[in-house]
Amino acid sequence: MPMSNEKYTEEQVKLARYAKALSHPVRVQIMEILASQSCCYSGDIADDLPIARSTLSQHLNELKDAGLIQGEFTPPKIKYCIRREGWDEAKHLLSQFLLMK
Amino acid sequence: MPMSNEKYTEEQVKLARYAKALSHPVRVQIMEILASQSCCYSGDIADDLPIARSTLSQHLNELKDAGLIQGEFTPPKIKYCIRREGWDEAKHLLSQFLLMK
DNA sequence: AAAACATTTCGTAATATTGCGAAATAAATT
DNA sequence: AATTTATTTCGCAATATTACGAAATGTTTT
């Protein structure tokens, strides 16, 4: 047992959180869709995906909670985009991690 | 709905599987430990981690199932190492994915 | 053969994820 | 004001994850 009060480092926790956000194929696909065009309306994403809209909404929320995407309300639709800060941090942490060996 | 029979591409599924393997801080830490020394005995890993040995065993199994590590039985211990093929594939898929935007 | 050691499997509990359809919310259009 | 459109929240069910300690497995040492 390590002596630290915390079980894991902040980086380990963050890395795991980003990895978890990407741990379902549909969320990988959502990120790919958002990357391929600057932004995208929720409905347009739904048309490309084999899941119910309510289920998509949950996946979008997970990506948002992880800080990887952001949604802008432009009535009556919601425009989703990749969130730079989160995406860049995920990139940085994962790249570092993958380079280690 | 896409016309393809399969819901997701092979790459999306593989990427999600590797991401899932790394979606818990303790598994990130295990990979870091294994990367920092060529190989490691299960018991030595357990000494560094704040979880029960049976729990560690489950996490090791998940990493093994994902193809990221391999265990060699050198009685009475088991020596765990990073599995090159899997690790390299994860590296490749994730790097590609992260570069996309 | 018995004791010690290293690790896994089993049983179980608590919690999280994934999925859907129905209902709710909220804005735009008629 | 009523209808349409876009999306989310709710309620629920099925399954998966995470964790632990106890028991089992298999090897080495005594």
Side-chain angles (χ1 to χ4, degrees):
Chain A
M1 275 250 261
M3 24 235 53
S4 161
N5 190 15
E6 298 297 331
K7 283 186 166 190
Y8 309 105
T9 69
E10 192 56 36
E11 295 206 339
Q12 284 164 348
V13 171
K14 278 184 177 177
L15 182 43
R17 196 181 301 131
Y18 286 125
K20 183 163 201 170
L22 300 174
S23 71
H24 192 291
V26 84
R27 292 197 292 267
V28 171
Q29 192 174 354
I30 291 168
M31 292 305 292
E32 286 173 352
I33 291 170
L34 290 182
S36 72
Q37 44 222 281
S38 55
C39 287
C40 204
Y41 295 107
S42 174
D44 298 338
I45 301 173
D47 294 338
D48 283 347
L49 296 181
I51 54 173
R53 272 148 204 273
S54 55
T55 306
L56 169 62
S57 183
Q58 286 180 116
H59 285 296
L60 287 172
N61 213 44
E62 284 189 64
L63 289 169
K64 199 160 58 176
D65 286 348
L68 286 176
I69 67 173
Q70 64 192 95
E72 191 193 344
F73 190 44
T74 63
K77 302 184 179 184
I78 296 179
K79 190 170 65 178
Y80 281 100
C81 310
I82 287 177
R83 182 171 162 274
R84 265 281 138 235
E85 305 92 313
W87 179 248
D88 284 346
E89 187 180 46
K91 240 168 158 162
H92 179 249
L93 287 173
L94 277 163
S95 304
Q96 280 297 110
F97 178 78
L98 292 166
L99 277 178
M100 76 184 171
K101 180 146 192 177
Chain B
M1 276 251 260
M3 24 236 55
S4 161
N5 191 16
E6 298 296 332
K7 282 186 166 191
Y8 309 106
T9 69
E10 193 57 37
E11 295 206 340
Q12 285 164 348
V13 172
K14 278 184 177 177
L15 181 43
R17 197 181 300 131
Y18 286 125
K20 184 164 200 168
L22 300 174
S23 71
H24 192 292
V26 84
R27 292 196 292 268
V28 171
Q29 192 173 352
I30 291 168
M31 292 307 291
E32 285 173 351
I33 291 170
L34 290 181
S36 72
Q37 45 221 282
S38 56
C39 286
C40 204
Y41 295 107
S42 173
D44 298 337
I45 301 173
D47 294 337
D48 283 348
L49 296 182
I51 54 172
R53 271 148 205 274
S54 55
T55 306
L56 170 61
S57 184
Q58 286 179 115
H59 285 296
L60 287 171
N61 212 44
E62 284 189 63
L63 288 170
K64 199 160 59 176
D65 285 348
L68 286 175
I69 67 172
Q70 63 193 98
E72 191 192 342
F73 188 44
T74 63
K77 301 184 178 183
I78 297 180
K79 190 170 65 176
Y80 280 100
C81 311
I82 286 177
R83 182 172 161 272
R84 265 281 136 235
E85 303 93 313
W87 181 246
D88 284 347
E89 187 180 45
K91 240 168 157 163
H92 179 248
L93 286 172
L94 277 163
S95 305
Q96 280 298 108
F97 178 78
L98 292 165
L99 276 179
M100 75 185 173
K101 179 144 191 178

